[in-house]
Amino acid sequence: MAERKPLIAGNWKLNNNHLEAIALVQKLAFSLKDTDFDAAEIAVLPPFTNLRSVQTLVDGDKLRIVYGAQDVSAHEKGAYTGEVSGPMLAKLGCTYALAGHSERREYHREDDALVNQKVKAAFAADLTPILCLGEGLDVRKAGDQVSHTLAQLEGALKDVTAEQAARLVVAYEPVWAIGTGEVATPEDAQEVCGALRGRLGELYSDEAAGTARVIYGGSVKSDNIAGIIGQEDIDGALVGGASLKPDEFAKLARLGRE
Ligand SMILES: O=C[C@H](O)COP(=O)(O)O
């Protein structure tokens, strides 16, 4: 089976100005050791305005923390006021860009077709998209979480190549678990993550499905990460609230170890 390095990514959402960003990344770097970075890839996803400061800090201090953006424009350039393109993010040293976070889907009416364009825009700029998907409470209550998330996956991957799919990150984030303190059980998270990986195999190849990473997000904390990451098809976590506290995120990035 392919070796997949766990990814622990902190999505700061609309929190921290660039000065606070520097302080948080410095504290994180101070708490984490080389062995932690050997065990997991540790990423922060700050607001756009912080990326240049984070880049300067990471480059200057040769930190092993990687970083990315919370969104990426579907367009490369042009008259798209307020948008930030993949090439701009790549120039800032970003490794990752989120695409289709549920808060973008809900508050900015992003649908699978737009998320698909964003995924392709990220790949075109040599960024790794973290494709976010997940069901709401009504879908979960109806027991349709697998078919719902598989449809989101297929919609978002239209015209994505096997080579690209092999380096994709898919983040399964049940909407009912985001920011609620109600984390999915490891078994529930594995059910969907396993189905997502299986569908990647059907759409592309076993090889692509074996190297793509599938991570879980939704109320992940240092005291519940171990059970989640212990599942066969879960390769890490997308962390919101807990990523804003340096000690807690450092512990979480150590996969719950002290
Ligand atoms: O992107 C992160 C997710 O929305 C999870 O957020 P949370 O850890 O605050 O529940």
Side-chain angles (χ1 to χ4, degrees):
M1 202 177 69
E3 271 297 312
R4 296 183 297 267
K5 190 169 187 175
L7 169 64
I8 307 296
N11 174 13
W12 294 1
K13 307 190 179 185
L14 183 53
N15 293 289
N16 293 328
N17 61 38
H18 73 287
L19 299 174
E20 292 163 334
I22 293 169
L24 205 165
V25 173
Q26 279 174 328
K27 281 182 195 155
L28 260 182
F30 185 74
S31 304
L32 294 167
K33 300 187 171 49
D34 270 337
T35 47
D36 302 322
F37 289 103
D38 292 342
E41 188 177 21
I42 300 165
V44 293
L45 308 170
F48 289 130
T49 51
N50 301 355
L51 290 170
R52 176 64 176 149
S53 303
V54 171
Q55 177 186 35
T56 302
L57 176 61
V58 166
D59 288 355
D61 290 1
K62 297 190 172 28
L63 304 181
R64 292 178 70 185
I65 289 172
V66 298
Y67 54 92
Q70 298 172 17
D71 187 26
V72 58
S73 177
H75 306 284
E76 191 181 326
K77 60 162 78 168
Y80 302 102
T81 301
E83 303 253 308
V84 178
S85 74
M88 292 172 182
L89 297 174
K91 202 75 178 165
L92 286 167
C94 289
T95 300
Y96 293 104
L98 295 183
H101 190 280
S102 67
E103 288 147 17
R104 301 289 315 171
R105 293 178 190 257
E106 181 178 354
Y107 304 132
H108 301 272
R109 293 194 287 274
E110 294 192 7
D111 59 11
D112 289 335
L114 178 58
V115 174
N116 173 241
Q117 289 179 26
K118 292 189 172 196
V119 166
K120 289 187 287 192
F123 276 129
D126 270 335
L127 301 167
T128 297
I130 300 177
L131 164 63
C132 303
L133 39 73
E135 81 286 355
L137 190 57
D138 50 339
V139 174
R140 164 68 56 171
K141 279 186 173 159
D144 294 333
Q145 61 275 7
V146 170
S147 58
H148 179 90
T149 50
L150 292 182
Q152 287 180 313
L153 182 77
E154 290 188 20
L157 293 186
K158 189 170 175 293
D159 300 326
V160 168
T161 67
E163 182 274 324
Q164 291 171 331
R167 52 195 178 90
L168 178 72
V169 178
V170 180
Y172 167 54
E173 296 206 304
V175 178
W176 48 268
I178 295 177
T180 59
E182 194 180 340
V183 65
T185 65
E187 295 73 23
D188 284 345
Q190 165 61 27
E191 178 198 33
V192 177
C193 292
L196 290 166
R197 192 182 306 287
R199 185 54 54 91
L200 286 174
E202 290 161 13
L203 290 172
Y204 297 102
S205 64
D206 287 348
E207 193 190 349
T211 55
R213 285 176 294 178
V214 182
I215 65 177
Y216 167 83
S219 297
V220 175
K221 307 272 184 313
S222 61
D223 60 5
N224 59 32
I225 179 94
I228 289 165
I229 198 120
Q231 298 298 307
E232 186 180 346
D233 288 299
I234 304 182
D235 307 316
L238 182 57
V239 184
S243 72
L244 299 172
K245 303 172 200 149
D247 291 342
E248 168 68 1
F249 188 62
K251 191 171 169 193
L252 214 156
R254 287 193 293 271
L255 312 181
R257 299 185 305 272
E258 278 304 326

